[in-house]
Amino acid sequence: MNATRQDAWTQDEDIILAETVLRYIREGKTQLEAFKEVAKQLSRTSAACGFRWNASIRKQYQDAIDFAKEERKQGGRQKSWNYTETRPMQEDDPINTAILLLEKMRTNFTSESQLSQQEEKEAVNNLKKENEILKEQLKRYEEAWREMGNLWNWVKENKM
């Protein structure tokens, strides 16, 4: 009898685990932190996530792990990665797995680009505010300089 365990890992859960761990590696965070995040998402323990990663999934994603480490070292300057090599080599439905992975990548990419655009807008606004403050300070310094010049001229005129 070949009964499936009630708590068996699904292919989708494996992909979530792998993508999260790879993201944490790219960002320079620890795998333990990734296991904690996945544990919350999947209602599992971080130990279970760590065991699943080390016992089953890590081998299938070795090229992606190496790439993520290299990308982290270079500060994210790598242009692209062939994610078809990172999908699990399971017989169930490789096309469905690829679709799920691509959808997850698209979602992550969209949220990251929106975040960077928002951060860019905030930086521009902060620079504008700082520029206005500096202009005001410059006006005050120029006025003080003018006053000192007037005072100097008055002292020279009244001394003689």
Side-chain angles (χ1 to χ4, degrees):
M1 184 168 175
N2 193 6
T4 303
R5 290 181 50 146
Q6 193 172 12
D7 62 345
W9 285 75
T10 67
Q11 195 171 6
D12 291 344
E13 290 174 324
D14 285 347
I15 291 171
I16 290 170
L17 176 60
E19 284 301 309
T20 303
V21 171
L22 291 171
R23 178 170 43 89
Y24 270 65
I25 292 171
R26 277 192 301 277
E27 293 173 356
K29 298 177 184 176
T30 67
Q31 291 180 17
L32 292 175
E33 292 173 304
F35 300 152
K36 288 178 185 177
E37 181 182 319
V38 173
K40 288 177 189 173
Q41 290 178 17
L42 303 180
S43 299
R44 293 182 180 269
T45 65
S46 58
C49 295
F51 183 81
R52 179 67 177 179
W53 173 255
N54 288 314
S56 302
I57 299 172
R58 181 184 198 99
K59 294 170 256 174
Q60 299 168 1
Y61 286 87
Q62 192 57 51
D63 290 339
I65 293 168
D66 295 340
F67 182 79
K69 288 179 180 178
E70 188 63 33
E71 190 175 22
R72 179 188 64 219
K73 287 179 189 175
Q74 296 182 4
R77 285 178 275 167
Q78 292 284 345
K79 295 292 182 207
S80 64
W81 168 252
N82 184 358
Y83 281 95
T84 58
E85 295 176 20
T86 65
R87 66 181 162 85
M89 302 300 171
Q90 295 182 4
E91 314 265 316
D92 296 342
D93 188 4
I95 294 174
N96 191 34
T97 302
I99 291 170
L100 290 171
L101 185 58
L102 289 171
E103 286 173 347
K104 181 160 179 57
M105 287 172 45
R106 181 186 63 203
T107 304
N108 288 343
F109 177 77
T110 303
S111 64
E112 288 173 8
S113 69
Q114 287 173 348
L115 180 63
S116 64
Q117 289 173 355
Q118 180 65 25
E119 289 172 342
E120 187 176 330
K121 286 178 185 177
E122 288 176 12
V124 168
N125 287 336
N126 289 339
L127 287 174
K128 286 180 180 178
K129 288 177 186 175
E130 184 179 2
N131 192 22
E132 290 301 316
I133 291 169
L134 291 173
K135 283 180 181 178
E136 284 296 317
Q137 286 178 344
L138 182 60
K139 284 180 185 177
R140 281 185 263 145
Y141 290 139
E142 287 174 342
E143 184 61 33
W145 188 253
R146 236 180 276 120
E147 289 286 326
M148 287 178 19
N150 291 341
L151 213 100
W152 179 253
N153 289 335
W154 181 82
V155 168
K156 281 181 19 181
E157 289 173 6
N158 289 327
K159 214 175 186 186
M160 296 188 167

